[in-house]
Amino acid sequence: MKLLMSPPSPFARKVRVLLREVDLLDRVAEQQVSTSPLASAPDALAANPLGKIPALLRDDGPALYDSRVITRYLNDLAGAKLYPDSSLYEVLTLEATADAIMEATVAMTYEVRLRPEAQQSDDWIDAQWAKAARAIAAIDARWMSHLHGPLNMAQIAVSCALAYVDLRHGDRDWRDGNDALAAWQATFEARDAMQATKP
């Protein structure tokens, strides 16, 4: 199998961390693809009609896309327990919250990098950051207990989302007022799989 990915993508990083945590690197090769909403790479378009990454090319079926679909598939393939039955819907909700942080902050990045300066909207950027900031604060206030205990996909997703904020929007200082989450992230991002996938 082959994973179409780009190292800075937080969505791709979720999958790349999972591959390392459940020992699937010998079964899934990583192929770096340079793609954007304005210029989709042919490989990405062939795998996903939206041209987005990550996409997982399989030998025995059509390509899978959307990071949450890929992570569920690989979790099952490995016989892992990153989506435990006992807290499945909590893990899925927290993973969705992390993905929403990624979506908002990637949109902020695209606004600055892909639109001409005269067309950029500070209001749009601020609105996207408000979404991300509310989600980060909600995790700190209500979800910390779910970030502890055996490894699950919500933990990976949250850490990848926060690391992307640091990468592209470090001046926003998400740690301010989110002390518990900041302390957790300092520990989690030291994991070998996180360090190996750091863009």
Side-chain angles (χ1 to χ4, degrees):
M1 289 183 288
K2 186 180 295 182
L3 179 72
L4 303 184
M5 64 83 185
S6 175
S9 166
F11 298 101
R13 191 176 185 193
K14 281 172 48 182
V15 181
R16 299 179 68 220
V17 170
L18 178 150
L19 289 174
R20 288 156 176 79
E21 292 285 2
V22 301
D23 296 321
L24 281 179
L25 276 178
D26 60 336
R27 297 184 63 179
V28 181
E30 297 177 340
Q31 178 180 322
Q32 188 167 338
V33 174
S34 180
T35 191
S36 82
L38 297 183
S40 296
D43 287 351
L45 280 172
N48 176 353
L50 301 175
K52 293 183 176 182
I53 54 171
L56 182 68
L57 309 182
R58 300 182 296 164
D59 299 326
D60 59 351
L64 300 179
Y65 49 88
D66 188 277
S67 62
R68 277 180 272 181
V69 174
I70 297 170
T71 55
R72 288 294 298 267
Y73 173 80
L74 293 174
N75 175 77
D76 292 350
L77 183 68
K81 297 181 180 177
L82 299 180
Y83 292 95
D85 290 339
S86 61
S87 58
L88 177 61
Y89 293 102
E90 290 80 4
V91 168
L92 289 173
T93 299
L94 193 48
E95 183 182 8
T97 304
D99 282 6
I101 295 168
M102 296 178 196
E103 288 165 5
T105 53
V106 167
M108 292 168 63
T109 301
Y110 285 160
E111 181 72 6
V112 173
R113 290 185 168 213
L114 300 181
R115 290 173 67 88
E117 187 173 355
Q119 296 177 16
Q120 294 172 18
S121 169
D122 290 339
D123 289 343
W124 167 260
I125 293 171
D126 289 344
Q128 297 308 308
W129 176 248
K131 293 176 187 179
R134 286 194 303 268
I136 291 168
I139 295 171
D140 185 77
R142 300 196 295 267
W143 289 97
M144 291 308 302
S145 63
H146 291 82
L147 292 180
H148 297 287
L151 182 67
N152 63 51
M153 199 58 220
Q155 296 167 1
I156 294 172
V158 168
S159 188
C160 289
L162 297 175
Y164 183 80
V165 176
D166 284 336
L167 177 67
R168 297 294 193 214
H169 309 289
D171 59 327
R172 296 284 180 165
D173 193 15
W174 67 264
R175 290 172 178 80
D176 185 28
N178 298 300
D179 296 347
L181 186 56
W184 175 85
Q185 174 70 346
T187 299
F188 194 91
E189 67 181 351
R191 294 177 73 92
D192 290 345
M194 290 294 294
Q195 291 297 306
T197 57
K198 191 171 183 177

